[in-house]
Amino acid sequence: MSTDFFKDISPITFAGADSADPMAFHHYNPDEMLGGKRMEEHLRFAVAYWHSFAWEGGDPFGGQTLERPWHPQDTMANAKLKADAAFEMFRILGAPYFCFHDADVRPEGSNYAENTSRLDEMTDYFGTKMEETGTKLLWGTANTFSHRRYMSGGSTNPDPDVFAFMAATVKSCMDATQKLGGENYVLWGGREGYETLLNTDMGQELDHMGRFLNMVVDYKHKIGFKGAILVEPKPQEPSKHQYDYDAATCFGFLQKYGLEKEVKLNLEQGHAILAGHSFEHEIATAAALGVFGSIDMNRNDYQSGWDTDQFPNNVPEVALAYYHILKAGGFDTGGTNFDAKLRRQSLDAVDLIASHVGAMDVCARGLKAAHAMLEDGGLETALAERYAGWETPEARAMLGSDLGSITDRVLAQDINPQPRSGRQEILENYVNRFV
Ligand code: XLS
Ligand code: NI
Ligand code: NI
């Protein structure tokens, strides 16, 4: 099958910063070297199948606005047409990776067995296309939040049959991810949380979720899946209170259930904003705790308070995110997944391409700025100076001592610290030179 959905659009190429061509890259130059690594290998861009191909343009006040050749999405024939268009778009963008949920790629079956056989048929279809085009799978995941069976949660559902259906579904999606050579497996628990404590046993739900995640890790080892298992934090939406609130909450959860060495985090900018954090806060937290994995790159609207999943377009924000990623050593199995969708008035194929082109350019500019700041070393020098006192033997020894000995030293040396400037504005001015 073939689709002419993108028929008038040629593959996007790098035209340089001076070009005015809206359908060219101005900053994303896959082969440009930054610190011994190609830009493409730094950024590891992935297209999100759900937003680009499955979402039909609905919002809480209105239904479908987008009309695609693969609608309605309830037949296997249309699922294959959708895959054809998707791989055509990956080729046009030169996007090395994609990500998908089971429900994005196959129509819902009448039961578990039919869901799984349809998923199998679609991953066979993907496999051939991936071989032909060289596109790779950054991660696979299960949609355990849209169907009404999951309205009260997946692994945290009060009904054990839902837990069972969900666990079996995740197994099938891990199998699919493994089959396609996926580099990570993601779990985002949109319904793993609650609406009201009046009907919720939080302690029991957390224990079930911890047990379930241990089963996922056991299964990963059983099948020899080489990728990383990633949990994606989000504070709320759709659930009022989600258990995976933010990076720090997830780390506490992983530690309680003995998983902090086995599971890492997929951090999303929009979710950080909903949690009242900056994106770089979430990245730096995960890096400091040793659980940084991958990112979902999008932005929220700062006024609306929803997860609006817009394409990134703020270079200074993106630059600070990549600064902390580079500082943490860059991506290992992770990458930059555009978990972002068009506005519902952006109806055309060209909108779908242009949104990604712009986002890839914004990320490339951010990455270049981040790399330049690290090379220059201004922030690291300032940091080293600010913490220099801790380099003295006396200061280091203090960490191994106790409150009594510290008090003796304060008295003996009459320690009476004088405040020093934190230099925030000077550092902000420094960053502005690079972005
Ligand atoms: C929703 C999440 C979702 C995950 C994958 O807010 O970001 O898209 O990335 O299930
Ligand atoms: Ni999200
Ligand atoms: Ni996401």
Side-chain angles (χ1 to χ4, degrees):
M1 268 180 290
S2 73
T3 152
D4 59 2
F5 185 60
F6 294 111
K7 65 176 180 311
D8 299 325
I9 306 174
S10 330
I12 309 297
T13 54
F14 175 67
D18 297 332
S19 157
D21 181 355
M23 295 301 271
F25 294 123
H26 306 291
H27 298 278
Y28 179 56
N29 182 7
D31 292 321
E32 187 176 324
M33 298 296 287
L34 290 173
K37 211 163 148 183
R38 293 170 59 249
M39 208 186 257
E40 181 176 3
E41 290 160 9
H42 273 292
L43 291 163
R44 296 165 58 83
F45 286 134
V47 172
Y49 209 94
W50 51 104
H51 288 315
S52 288
F53 307 109
W55 181 65
E56 298 181 345
D59 73 7
F61 299 92
Q64 178 168 7
T65 57
L66 309 179
E67 291 175 345
R68 305 298 193 216
W70 54 90
H71 292 163
Q73 301 186 62
D74 57 357
T75 64
M76 286 299 280
N78 278 351
K80 289 180 184 171
L81 197 62
K82 178 164 59 173
D84 295 338
F87 278 82
E88 180 59 15
M89 184 166 108
F90 307 154
R91 186 184 67 86
I92 289 170
L93 292 171
Y97 291 98
F98 72 110
C99 301
F100 73 92
H101 304 81
D102 51 353
D104 308 331
V105 305
R106 53 110 185 99
E108 186 73 25
S110 54
N111 59 13
Y112 175 75
E114 193 174 34
N115 278 351
T116 308
S117 68
R118 287 179 171 185
L119 181 62
D120 262 358
E121 190 177 330
M122 285 312 299
T123 49
D124 283 345
Y125 198 69
F126 280 9
T128 314
K129 292 196 157 281
M130 288 167 73
E131 217 159 278
E132 281 164 17
T133 60
T135 311
K136 293 169 285 181
L137 178 62
L138 186 64
W139 46 265
T141 187
N143 179 331
T144 57
F145 44 88
S146 293
H147 193 280
R148 63 193 291 276
R149 77 174 67 88
Y150 297 123
M151 68 178 191
S152 314
S155 68
T156 62
N157 202 293
D159 180 349
D161 283 351
V162 179
F163 183 104
F165 196 101
M166 189 259 191
T169 298
V170 167
K171 176 188 171 295
S172 72
C173 291
M174 290 176 75
D175 290 339
T177 303
Q178 160 99 321
K179 168 171 147 188
L180 296 176
E183 301 190 19
N184 306 272
Y185 184 82
V186 164
L187 299 113
W188 170 64
R191 307 273 177 202
E192 309 295 21
Y194 65 91
E195 297 299 315
T196 171
L197 276 179
L198 296 175
N199 64 12
T200 303
D201 184 335
M202 201 195 302
Q204 183 169 2
E205 292 198 357
L206 287 169
D207 284 349
H208 290 183
M209 191 161 106
R211 187 65 203 108
F212 166 70
L213 199 51
N214 267 284
M215 292 179 194
V216 169
V217 167
D218 289 347
Y219 190 64
K220 162 193 154 140
H221 292 304
K222 182 170 174 218
I223 62 176
F225 179 65
K226 291 281 168 292
I229 302 291
L230 306 174
V231 162
E232 183 174 323
K234 185 174 183 179
Q236 74 270 330
E237 202 207 271
S239 296
K240 165 70 182 145
H241 299 274
Q242 270 164 229
Y243 296 136
D244 295 328
Y245 193 94
D246 61 1
T249 310
C250 284
F251 183 76
F253 175 85
L254 294 177
Q255 230 178 7
K256 171 161 166 76
Y257 295 99
L259 292 165
E260 75 275 17
K261 301 253 180 314
E262 292 280 1
V263 176
K264 292 186 160 49
L265 302 182
N266 180 43
L267 302 167
E268 172 165 324
Q269 184 182 19
H271 300 180
I273 295 169
L274 284 179
H277 300 309
S278 66
F279 197 18
E280 64 269 23
H281 168 88
E282 287 293 87
I283 294 167
T285 301
L289 296 169
V291 289
F292 174 70
S294 195
I295 61 169
D296 276 4
M297 180 55 95
N298 53 30
R299 70 175 178 91
N300 276 8
D301 184 292
Y302 281 104
Q303 284 80 44
S304 81
W306 289 357
D307 185 9
T308 55
D309 284 329
Q310 292 173 248
F311 285 89
N313 63 1
N314 184 324
V315 175
E317 277 180 5
V318 166
L320 289 177
Y322 282 116
Y323 184 83
H324 286 278
I325 292 170
L326 290 181
K327 206 176 138 172
F331 292 122
D332 178 13
T333 60
T336 304
N337 171 44
F338 291 116
D339 194 351
K341 60 175 180 265
L342 293 171
R343 297 308 86 197
R344 69 196 292 267
Q345 300 175 56
S346 303
L347 301 180
D348 299 336
V350 69
D351 296 315
L352 204 43
I353 302 293
S355 57
H356 284 88
V357 170
M360 289 160 88
D361 257 352
V362 165
C363 291
R365 280 183 86 166
L367 176 77
K368 284 192 283 188
H371 180 256
M373 284 193 284
L374 266 180
E375 288 275 280
D376 181 77
L379 291 178
E380 297 312 298
T381 305
L383 216 52
E385 274 169 15
R386 191 155 190 245
Y387 290 85
W390 285 100
E391 297 305 315
T392 64
E394 259 182 335
R396 284 177 175 276
M398 179 166 61
L399 293 179
S401 70
D402 55 80
L403 294 186
S405 338
I406 293 174
T407 307
D408 291 346
R409 196 168 63 89
V410 169
L411 285 170
Q413 299 179 8
D414 192 17
I415 291 179
N416 192 4
Q418 296 307 307
R420 290 169 53 198
S421 169
R423 301 254 183 267
Q424 180 168 336
E425 294 79 5
I426 289 176
L427 296 170
E428 286 167 348
N429 297 350
Y430 171 87
V431 170
N432 276 328
R433 277 177 37 216
F434 292 84
V435 296

